[in-house]
Amino acid sequence: MKFLFRWIVRLGLLASLAVAGYLVYLYFEIGHEVRPLVDYNPPKTTRIYDRNGDLVANVFEKEHRIYVPYDEIPGRVIEALVSIEDTMFFEHHGVNPEAIFRAVIKDIKARKLVEGASTLTQQLVKSTLLTREKKLKRKIKEALLSIRLEMLLTKEQILERYLNAIFFGHGYYGIRTASLGYFHKDLDELTLKEIAVLVGLPKAPSAYDPTRRYANAMARANRVLERMRTLGWIDEATYLSAIKEAPKVYDDTLTKNRAPYVTDAVINSLAKEFPDIRRGGYKIHTAIDLEYQQMARKALKYGYDAYWKRHKDDSNISRTFNGAMVVLDGRSGDILALLGGVDYAKSAFNRAISSKRQPGSAFKPFIYETALNLGYNPQSKVPDIARTYRFEEGDTEKLWQPKNYEKDYKGMITLQEALVHSRNLATINLVNEIGIMTLHKKLEVFGIKDLPYNLSIALGNIALSPLQMARLYTVFADMGTLHEPRLVTKVYDDKERLLKRYEPRSTEVYSKPQAYLMVHMLRDVVRRGTGRNARVRGMDVAGKTGTTNNSVDTWFCSFTPDVEAVVWFGNDDNTPLAKRETGGRTAAPVVKVFYTELVRKHPEFKRSFKEPEGVYHALRGGRDLLYTNKSPLPAETSAPIDEEVIF
């Protein structure tokens, strides 16, 4: 009997040694598997802000995570978490033998794995390195990895990783993400009850989601508070005050995307420079103003709805009608609002940037400005008469007989009247006088691609996007200075370090006096010409309509002393719009709505264009006429000079 007992003891010792040896082998064999937590660098959400620091959107790939370093985590958060999840966290070395023993007893009684005994370290290992299956082998591996991790990281480092890695429900990874999402507060702004709600979530994020199961979430939070009171970490008064609180919870979308066309444009513009833009945790500051964005959205929708209201009974028109709008600070080129369509949910295609459409007559001001800089004056006359042009297409001779929109002729008219009423024939004859090659040379400064080398340039036969048109019009909005549109202003990394600043870029193209002559003419377009539907009481608005053949494209390109707005409408399938739709009817009312609301909200804005030095006035036939040294009044006039005034 003694012999048998000795062999049983020996076998037991051998088995124990074998198990111990296996555990030691396993410990060193899997030790490298903790490296992802030691060198922790999870995917982080990139945030886009407007110029006032308001959040435009969160951008991420799979996990929405706004990282928080340990030294920015309030002590109360740590206390609440440890109290409910792992009271002995700062005492154990990765596993808690006492808790394991209690769990084993319960498992034996139940004859299955029913009780968890995981420490915070084990929870971190399980959620980031292992599966959630309840098997002995996985539990052993979890314990060994936890012990290994505790040897490599401090308790504070483990807590930092835990509070950034764990899922808090509702798509939120990390406690800061959850705090901003559920309560619209950063961690240092939370109440004790709100903290208790958050630390109670990791146990069962779905069951305790406060946006769907508010009562469950509050009950769980109260258990956290009870545990803190039991441990003596909060007093009775604090406990009673906290359990009475009913925090307001927000049920937001994860992206909080308040300007989706802007968000897409930002990501697309930076993706090449920052390939990890969707997971790098960048902070991107833009020139966008969300207030302007909202006003522009409402204005564009107004124009869209008005079109369908006018043609509600017309079943033959295209259902692909859509629009785009760009708002710039005309003095800097900063993009204040960008709408690539009327409804992003229905179409994410960004027409403001990617849609190349013919501007039609909206391009005419650049032809007329070229003439002014060649010595013409707004009162210089050109023939508004019909002509027939012959040209060859292959071996075939063809005729081109352009017409005015009104299908009439005015004879000899001034440049100002030709532009105010958008006379096609007068513009074509002006291009003929200037010369195609001269016009091309003068327009090179704008960098416009594929300008036609024929008279169709007079009718805006060019492919340009609304954003490109907005860029071109800054040369008038800022009295001769061309500004490159700027969307992104600064990019910071996830540690708040400035990576890049995007400075404004501009080129002086025209002198201020010469540019002002065009501003004066374009203001007249709105006051009494094709753009009169854009008039705003008490404010100078200048602009030009654009309508292509058969109303395929309709435009209004405009500016005030402070802001520039470009609107386009058309069908995505390039078919004509309904009858009688023009830039003045379809697009101009949109900027009227926008500017009217802008002035209402910002009464401090400038109301009148400031005339620069070098612009002179002369009274002729009771009319106040402008001229400059480069653009003198024409010698022959139908009325004598009454008085000449020089300012």
Side-chain angles (χ1 to χ4, degrees):
M1 194 68 180
K2 290 181 179 180
F3 175 79
L4 181 61
F5 178 74
R6 285 197 297 271
W7 271 104
I8 291 174
V9 171
R10 289 173 182 173
L11 287 173
L13 288 172
L14 286 172
S16 298
L17 289 171
V19 170
Y22 173 73
L23 292 177
V24 171
Y25 165 77
L26 190 61
Y27 175 79
F28 287 105
E29 179 68 18
I30 65 175
H32 67 281
E33 294 184 24
V34 299
R35 293 313 306 180
L37 280 173
V38 175
D39 305 321
Y40 189 56
N41 186 28
K44 295 178 281 289
T45 297
T46 288
R47 286 173 286 174
I48 301 172
Y49 297 93
D50 79 346
R51 66 175 182 172
N52 301 311
D54 293 327
L55 182 67
V56 174
N58 293 313
V59 179
F60 54 91
E61 286 183 336
K62 296 179 180 179
E63 298 180 355
H64 176 27
R65 176 182 290 105
I66 300 174
Y67 199 89
V68 57
Y70 182 82
D71 58 8
E72 294 180 18
I73 301 172
R76 277 296 194 203
V77 172
I78 303 299
E79 291 173 356
L81 174 68
V82 170
S83 72
I84 196 66
E85 291 291 343
D86 188 0
T87 308
M88 300 300 292
F89 174 74
F90 288 99
E91 309 299 327
H92 63 65
H93 300 288
V95 295
N96 186 342
E98 183 181 340
I100 292 174
F101 180 75
R102 288 197 307 268
V104 168
I105 296 300
K106 290 187 178 182
D107 289 346
I108 291 173
K109 288 181 179 179
R111 296 184 179 181
K112 60 180 180 179
L113 295 173
V114 295
E115 176 76 6
S118 296
T119 64
L120 286 173
T121 311
Q122 287 175 276
Q123 291 178 40
L124 175 62
V125 167
K126 179 172 64 177
S127 67
T128 56
L129 304 178
L130 304 173
T131 65
R132 290 183 173 271
E133 60 180 350
K134 289 188 175 183
K135 291 185 178 180
L136 182 60
K137 182 179 179 181
R138 200 272 297 159
K139 292 293 290 183
I140 292 172
K141 189 174 183 181
E142 175 189 300
L144 292 174
L145 287 174
S146 298
I147 294 170
R148 179 65 175 163
L149 190 64
E150 293 258 358
M151 295 178 66
L152 297 172
L153 297 177
T154 66
K155 290 289 186 179
E156 291 77 14
Q157 289 173 322
I158 291 171
L159 282 172
E160 178 178 326
R161 285 153 176 75
Y162 179 92
L163 286 170
N164 283 289
I166 293 297
F167 181 58
F168 283 80
H170 209 71
Y172 302 139
Y173 286 84
I175 194 166
R176 189 179 191 187
T177 319
S179 176
L180 293 169
Y182 288 128
F183 302 119
H184 289 189
K185 296 179 181 180
D186 215 334
L187 292 173
D188 60 355
E189 301 171 316
L190 295 174
T191 66
L192 181 58
K193 184 63 168 282
E194 291 166 341
I195 290 173
V197 171
L198 294 181
V199 301
L201 285 168
K203 181 178 178 65
S206 180
Y208 300 126
D209 183 342
T211 66
R212 292 171 174 80
R213 296 178 173 86
Y214 188 85
N216 288 0
M218 295 306 112
R220 171 69 172 165
N222 288 341
R223 286 196 291 275
V224 174
L225 296 170
E226 289 170 8
R227 179 62 175 162
M228 294 180 75
R229 181 186 61 173
T230 299
L231 293 171
W233 294 356
I234 58 173
D235 58 27
E236 185 71 14
T238 302
Y239 166 74
L240 292 175
S241 175
I243 61 171
K244 292 177 183 177
E245 184 186 342
K248 181 178 180 180
V249 176
Y250 296 87
D251 187 5
D252 290 335
T253 61
L254 296 186
T255 61
K256 293 187 179 178
N257 198 340
R258 299 168 68 183
Y261 288 112
V262 171
T263 300
D264 287 355
V266 169
I267 296 301
N268 291 337
S269 68
L270 295 176
K272 187 174 181 180
E273 193 170 4
F274 302 98
D276 62 339
I277 193 165
R278 293 182 179 274
R279 60 183 184 277
Y282 297 99
K283 281 189 174 182
I284 301 170
H285 292 263
T286 69
I288 292 293
D289 189 309
L290 285 172
E291 182 186 42
Y292 285 61
Q293 184 77 14
Q294 180 64 13
M295 288 188 287
R297 184 184 294 113
K298 288 181 179 179
L300 191 66
K301 185 66 163 56
Y302 168 84
Y304 177 83
D305 290 343
Y307 174 85
W308 286 115
K309 186 176 181 179
R310 288 193 295 272
H311 305 289
K312 60 184 177 181
D313 298 325
D314 191 343
S315 60
N316 297 319
I317 60 177
S318 172
R319 313 313 289 183
T320 66
F321 177 70
N322 219 310
M325 186 171 181
V326 179
V327 179
L328 300 185
D329 181 334
R331 299 159 301 180
S332 67
D334 280 356
I335 302 175
L336 303 175
L338 181 77
L339 291 165
V342 175
D343 188 344
Y344 184 87
K346 293 181 179 178
S347 174
F349 178 63
N350 197 327
R351 296 159 188 82
I353 295 175
S354 301
S355 184
K356 301 294 191 285
R357 309 293 291 237
Q358 290 188 19
S361 295
F363 190 73
K364 287 177 180 175
F366 301 94
I367 296 170
Y368 283 73
E369 182 66 43
T370 299
L372 294 176
N373 280 279
L374 290 173
Y376 286 74
N377 180 276
Q379 301 309 309
S380 300
K381 291 188 175 183
V382 289
D384 183 46
I385 58 175
R387 289 180 178 175
T388 299
Y389 299 91
R390 287 182 170 82
F391 65 98
E392 292 184 358
E393 192 173 277
D395 296 329
T396 305
E397 184 178 84
K398 293 189 174 183
L399 301 179
W400 182 44
Q401 295 176 308
K403 299 177 181 178
N404 287 321
Y405 181 81
E406 297 83 355
K407 296 181 174 57
D408 62 357
Y409 318 105
K410 298 292 185 182
M412 297 298 292
I413 62 172
T414 65
L415 296 191
Q416 184 156 343
E417 290 303 300
L419 187 61
V420 165
H421 299 291
S422 200
R423 308 295 290 183
N424 291 337
L425 297 176
T427 307
I428 292 170
N429 290 325
L430 177 62
V431 171
N432 243 338
E433 288 185 16
I434 294 172
I436 295 292
M437 297 307 295
T438 299
L439 183 60
H440 261 264
K441 187 173 181 60
K442 296 296 183 180
L443 294 178
E444 282 179 358
V445 67
F446 293 104
I448 304 170
K449 295 181 179 179
D450 302 320
L451 277 172
Y453 278 90
N454 55 56
L455 291 174
S456 68
I457 192 174
L459 305 182
N461 182 23
I462 315 156
L464 294 169
S465 70
L467 182 59
Q468 288 173 320
M469 286 299 289
R471 168 186 175 266
L472 293 177
Y473 267 74
T474 61
V475 80
F476 303 131
D478 198 26
M479 300 290 178
T481 301
L482 177 71
H483 296 284
E484 298 300 325
R486 184 174 65 152
L487 179 59
V488 177
T489 58
K490 291 176 288 188
V491 177
Y492 293 85
D493 68 8
D494 59 332
K495 294 181 176 59
E496 306 282 347
R497 295 174 299 200
L498 180 63
L499 297 178
K500 188 164 184 178
R501 185 189 303 273
Y502 297 84
E503 301 292 347
R505 293 180 295 137
S506 60
T507 305
E508 186 175 324
V509 178
Y510 306 128
S511 68
K512 289 184 182 298
Q514 292 304 112
Y516 184 78
L517 293 179
M518 179 53 61
V519 171
H520 181 75
M521 293 168 73
L522 293 175
R523 184 176 58 184
D524 238 14
V525 171
V526 175
R527 285 182 173 178
R528 60 186 182 86
T530 57
R532 55 189 174 276
N533 284 334
R535 286 178 294 191
V536 176
R537 179 175 294 180
M539 169 170 273
D540 278 351
V541 178
K544 183 68 187 76
T545 54
T547 308
T548 59
N549 282 345
N550 300 316
S551 298
V552 172
D553 297 290
T554 58
W555 298 77
F556 193 67
C557 302
S558 69
F559 55 95
T560 69
D562 285 303
V563 179
E564 176 189 330
V566 169
V567 176
W568 166 87
F569 279 113
N571 291 325
D572 286 340
D573 59 7
N574 285 299
T575 55
L577 298 184
K579 291 181 180 179
R580 295 182 297 280
E581 293 297 333
T582 64
R585 190 184 196 196
T586 314
V590 172
V591 302
K592 176 185 177 70
V593 170
F594 175 75
Y595 289 138
T596 300
E597 181 68 4
L598 188 64
V599 173
R600 187 185 71 80
K601 290 188 174 183
H602 294 279
E604 75 279 5
F605 276 14
K606 296 175 184 176
R607 302 303 181 93
S608 303
F609 293 112
K610 183 179 179 180
E611 185 177 293
E613 293 182 4
V615 176
Y616 310 111
H617 294 247
L619 295 177
R620 289 188 177 182
R623 296 170 57 216
D624 182 16
L625 306 179
L626 305 187
Y627 67 97
T628 65
N629 290 332
K630 183 177 282 189
S631 297
L633 287 167
E636 295 182 5
T637 61
S638 57
I641 297 178
D642 297 329
E643 182 181 357
E644 189 165 325
V645 184
I646 301 178
F647 295 95

